[in-house]
Amino acid sequence: MKMLPKWVLIVGLSALSACGKAEQQPAAATDASVKSTLQTVKVDAIGTPELHYLDGHVEAVNESTLSAQTSGVIEKLFYDVDDYVEPGKVIARIKSKNQQAGVAQAQASLDEAQARFTEAQTDFKRISDIYAKRLVPKADYDTSQASLRAAEARLAAAKAQMTQAGEELGYTSLIAPFGGIVTKRHVQLGEAVNPGTPIMTGISLDQMRVVVEVPQRLIGKVRQEKKAFVFQDGSNKSLVVKSLTFFPYADPKTNAFKVRIDLAEGAKDLFPGMFVKVAFVLGQQQGVVSVPESAVVTRSEVIGVYVINAQGRPALRQIRLGKKLDENTISVLAGVDAGETIALDPVQAAIFLKQQEGAKRDE
């Protein structure tokens, strides 16, 4: 076997050494770039509201049944169940021949009363002028004045009758008092109705409220704090609460007080009858350990966070969660202490940990 010169071997080893260093440099650069993107936060023990969760149900603020205010036969139905009705639209119409006849009759009586009143005015003026000259007895003057007052009264009665007839005619068109959805139609086309007969029921989805039954043992603190959070099923975001109304009496059967929570207009995906979670504030809790909910990760049946140790490496640690404190924060009952540092993004923390382990194996 032919031996290579020593200078060739030295040069070859140097080249291999340089090549190895060149291959290790990208891994170190990658490790540094991941570490720079790993955002952390220090766990604090803070004072938080003491919350008590109860079940509530949603109801519409505007919900009403439109009833007939005059007699007649249903001539037209413009909407049905699940149709959206804009405010001021006609939802049903009753045949109005009788009401139109009533208006015509009232108008004729008004015209007659107006003519009689004009005649009485003219006669009274003529008698007044003659009486001023003492050419007629006072009895004639009094009779003329009484006739004028009677004609004036008949004119007022005719005007009132005309107003009533116009109202009756207006009742033949049923107008939506607010915009909403028809939930029930009570009559059929061609059905005879009388005053008080239900025609349609509707609700408005623009403004909702929540009704909750608060136990007697909690109502004192709830009244004192006057603050609550409302959460939709499956959502961690609380709805905007406008005000709380406390009913001043308890249900004799359950000894619970009814509390009505008015929500801001425009709440989405809320319908009457739905159940929601209501968190009432009962006071303040001190020294509660909390973490951002985005930092919590679930691995199989383990719930934990990535805690950063003294060497700057993240390690998954199991924790026991408590109640939500707000939209982004959740309390921790055990597993992590105040003052420790955790990773905000568990996905980036897991990638960073794997790359560190890979770098150690390469060494």
Side-chain angles (χ1 to χ4, degrees):
M1 179 178 180
K2 186 177 180 181
M3 300 296 292
L4 294 173
K6 290 183 178 181
W7 64 269
V8 175
L9 291 175
I10 293 172
V11 172
L13 290 173
S14 300
L16 289 173
S17 177
C19 181
K21 291 180 179 179
E23 291 177 354
Q24 290 177 0
Q25 285 178 357
T30 302
D31 183 64
S33 64
V34 173
K35 185 175 182 180
S36 64
T37 60
L38 187 59
Q39 297 181 350
T40 61
V41 65
K42 184 175 287 187
V43 178
D44 290 328
I46 59 176
T48 59
E50 179 185 356
L51 302 178
H52 187 87
Y53 287 80
L54 295 172
D55 289 330
H57 69 272
V58 180
E59 66 179 23
V61 174
N62 293 320
E63 180 177 3
S64 63
T65 297
L66 220 59
S67 301
Q69 294 180 272
T70 186
S71 301
V73 176
I74 298 296
E75 184 179 32
K76 284 189 178 180
L77 292 169
F78 297 96
Y79 297 93
D80 206 340
V81 175
D82 204 34
D83 288 343
Y84 178 78
V85 183
E86 295 182 358
K89 293 293 185 179
V90 178
I91 64 172
R93 182 169 287 137
I94 300 172
K95 284 185 178 180
S96 58
K97 288 185 177 180
N98 292 336
Q99 288 78 8
Q100 288 176 355
V103 170
Q105 184 178 359
Q107 184 64 53
S109 298
L110 178 61
D111 293 341
E112 181 184 1
Q114 184 68 53
R116 295 294 184 187
F117 177 72
T118 303
E119 181 183 5
Q121 273 186 322
T122 303
D123 184 66
F124 178 71
K125 186 178 182 305
R126 180 175 58 81
I127 295 296
S128 296
D129 293 340
I130 298 174
Y131 177 71
K133 298 176 183 179
R134 297 292 187 268
L135 298 177
V136 294
K138 189 174 185 303
D140 293 345
Y141 174 82
D142 293 339
T143 301
S144 178
Q145 187 178 43
S147 298
L148 176 62
R149 289 176 179 174
E152 186 177 7
R154 285 193 295 269
L155 178 61
K159 288 181 178 179
Q161 186 179 2
M162 183 64 190
T163 301
Q164 183 178 1
E167 287 288 328
E168 287 288 330
L169 180 60
Y171 291 153
T172 59
S173 295
L174 283 82
I175 309 297
F178 54 82
I181 297 176
V182 178
T183 57
K184 191 171 183 180
R185 178 167 58 86
H186 302 275
V187 295
Q188 303 292 333
L189 194 66
E191 185 175 344
V193 296
N194 295 309
T197 302
I199 303 299
M200 284 190 187
T201 300
I203 59 173
S204 172
L205 301 180
D206 295 333
Q207 192 170 356
M208 296 290 176
R209 62 190 178 198
V210 177
V211 177
V212 190
E213 299 287 338
V214 178
Q216 180 178 337
R217 68 181 188 277
L218 301 176
I219 191 61
K221 293 183 177 180
V222 171
R223 284 180 180 274
Q224 182 178 354
E225 296 294 334
K226 296 181 180 179
K227 190 173 183 181
F229 302 94
V230 179
F231 299 94
Q232 290 180 250
D233 187 21
S235 173
N236 296 325
K237 186 176 181 180
S238 62
L239 302 172
V240 180
V241 175
K242 290 175 59 178
S243 62
L244 276 70
T245 302
F246 299 92
F247 284 61
Y249 57 88
D251 189 331
K253 296 181 180 179
T254 62
N255 301 118
F257 287 80
K258 184 181 291 186
V259 178
R260 192 171 63 197
I261 304 171
D262 292 324
L263 303 176
E265 295 184 11
K268 296 182 179 179
D269 301 325
L270 274 186
F271 298 93
M274 291 178 60
F275 276 96
V276 292
K277 284 291 183 181
V278 180
F280 286 103
V281 178
L282 302 182
Q284 291 290 322
Q285 288 180 322
Q286 300 299 326
V288 177
V289 177
S290 62
V291 296
E293 193 172 12
S294 60
V296 179
V297 63
T298 302
R299 295 284 185 267
S300 184
E301 297 181 356
V302 176
I303 299 175
V305 293
Y306 280 93
V307 181
I308 310 301
N309 59 19
Q311 291 74 35
R313 295 188 62 191
L316 182 62
R317 186 187 298 176
Q318 185 176 3
I319 61 173
R320 186 156 62 95
L321 296 177
K323 296 179 179 179
K324 283 183 61 66
L325 303 178
D326 54 36
E327 297 178 5
N328 304 313
T329 310
I330 191 168
S331 62
V332 178
L333 303 179
V336 66
D337 298 323
E340 292 189 286
T341 302
I342 62 173
L344 277 175
D345 189 343
V347 176
Q348 288 294 332
I351 295 174
F352 179 54
L353 185 60
K354 287 183 179 180
Q355 290 191 349
Q356 278 192 332
E357 292 175 352
K360 281 190 174 183
R361 287 195 301 266
D362 292 340
E363 292 176 358

